[in-house]
Amino acid sequence: ERNELCPTFASKYEIENLNFNFKNKEVIKNCSLTINFGEIIKIIGPSGSGKSTLLDVIAGILPPEKGKFIMDGKEFSPYLSRDFSSLVGYVPQFISLIDESLSYNITLEINPDKDKLWNAIRKSQLTKFVKNLAYGMDTRLGEGGEGISGGQRQRIGIARALYRKPSLLILDEVTSSLDNKTSSEIMNQIYSMRGEVSILFVTHNSNTLKADKTYLLNKGKLIRKNKI
Ligand code: ADP
Ligand code: MG
């Protein structure tokens, strides 16, 4: 039952000594991380090092083996807190699409707020894509979204996260299916939200994007790096 309270993210989200196991294998080992509100944090690390798993635990999608989570000074469970899930906008590595309209795929609402929707579309660089669709926002995407490119799918995922106006935006390899131009445009949009939202993103490509803090995840261990 998701009922633990966690109504705000005003100053900091602290994660202490987090462990996550998968089938007796320690995937995340004793990781600690503090996300100050408004910060941009980058985690780099090779494929298989546990980046996506760590994000899943931080976002409250997977329950940890062990660990302490403190929001604005109060201990809580990200896995159990429904309030917390409404603070988070998560763009996973693989975006699932539903056999519904584009509008529904972004908002997950039947009567979405049009201004918020267009704002999310614009920030995700989807404006042209929407304008070229036969029925615009009402165009049905079809099962699994056939005919949608990897880059479009990823931008729909970004729009879905932004529509929620999250306090914590979590991005997993978000530019991996995008060309350089589109990904730098999207990152500029995301950086322009600096201060209004905290951003945690992972990438296997260390030389891409700037951040306030950079960490390296190596075989499940998180290490703070000096300015990269
Ligand atoms: P990264 O995102 O850095 O590539 P992942 O978090 O996807 O790394 O995976 C790290 C390790 O977690 C994998 O090597 C795998 O052994 C393990 N793992 C965690 N959850 C699962 C799962 N549901 N299915 C299979 N392997 C998993
Ligand atoms: Mg991954």
Side-chain angles (χ1 to χ4, degrees):
E1 183 71 19
R2 291 182 174 247
N3 54 12
E4 271 191 54
L5 298 178
C6 171
T8 56
F9 176 6
S11 73
K12 60 181 166 177
Y13 176 21
E14 296 164 279
I15 296 141
E16 291 176 7
N17 305 322
L18 178 69
N19 271 65
F20 181 85
N21 297 351
F22 179 72
K23 294 190 173 161
N24 299 328
K25 183 183 168 232
E26 275 193 290
V27 178
I28 301 298
K29 300 170 190 160
N30 212 32
C31 289
S32 297
L33 173 72
T34 296
I35 307 170
N36 291 307
F37 184 77
E39 251 175 0
I40 299 178
I41 297 178
K42 165 159 98 172
I43 298 175
I44 59 174
S47 181
S49 58
K51 301 183 298 299
S52 297
T53 307
L54 178 63
L55 292 185
D56 281 348
V57 180
I58 291 174
I61 290 166
L62 287 177
E65 229 61 55
K66 218 174 71 182
K68 200 167 167 183
F69 300 84
I70 304 156
M71 181 61 85
D72 296 337
K74 264 203 179 143
E75 200 174 340
F76 80 112
S77 160
Y79 185 67
L80 295 175
S81 166
R82 185 183 298 158
D83 288 348
F84 177 71
S85 67
S86 70
L87 298 176
V88 178
Y90 189 7
V91 185
Q93 207 166 347
F94 304 101
I95 311 294
S96 48
L97 298 176
I98 316 156
D99 184 11
E100 291 286 350
S101 66
L102 176 63
S103 164
Y104 189 82
N105 269 279
I106 293 172
T107 65
L108 309 175
E109 290 171 1
I110 294 161
N111 290 308
D113 179 318
K114 287 282 185 319
D115 287 344
K116 267 173 68 188
L117 176 55
W118 277 108
N119 185 46
I121 295 267
R122 192 174 40 75
K123 286 203 161 109
S124 316
Q125 308 291 321
L126 278 170
T127 313
K128 228 189 244 163
F129 169 71
V130 177
K131 293 201 162 145
N132 286 331
L133 289 172
Y135 303 98
M137 210 73 88
D138 298 322
T139 306
R140 218 160 142 162
L141 294 190
E143 217 157 318
E146 323 94 64
I148 304 286
S149 74
Q152 287 158 352
R153 180 181 284 263
Q154 211 148 25
R155 284 178 286 156
I156 292 169
I158 295 166
R160 192 183 283 167
L162 295 180
Y163 179 77
R164 301 162 56 82
K165 298 224 170 189
S167 299
L168 176 60
L169 182 62
I170 298 180
L171 308 165
D172 194 355
E173 308 271 9
V174 76
T175 56
S176 60
S177 311
L178 300 172
D179 61 76
N180 286 340
K181 184 167 169 280
T182 310
S183 67
S184 75
E185 282 164 358
I186 288 181
M187 288 319 291
N188 284 338
Q189 290 290 341
I190 287 171
Y191 283 155
S192 76
M193 295 187 282
R194 171 185 276 279
E196 300 164 34
V197 58
S198 311
I199 300 166
L200 176 62
F201 72 90
V202 307
T203 171
H204 63 274
N205 187 355
S206 65
N207 56 21
T208 41
L209 313 153
K210 279 191 237 117
D212 298 314
K213 286 182 197 158
T214 299
Y215 290 83
L216 170 68
L217 188 66
N218 195 10
K219 296 185 179 135
K221 287 195 174 162
L222 195 61
I223 306 147
R224 175 83 192 265
K225 303 276 280 184
N226 294 324
K227 301 268 170 204
I228 305 182

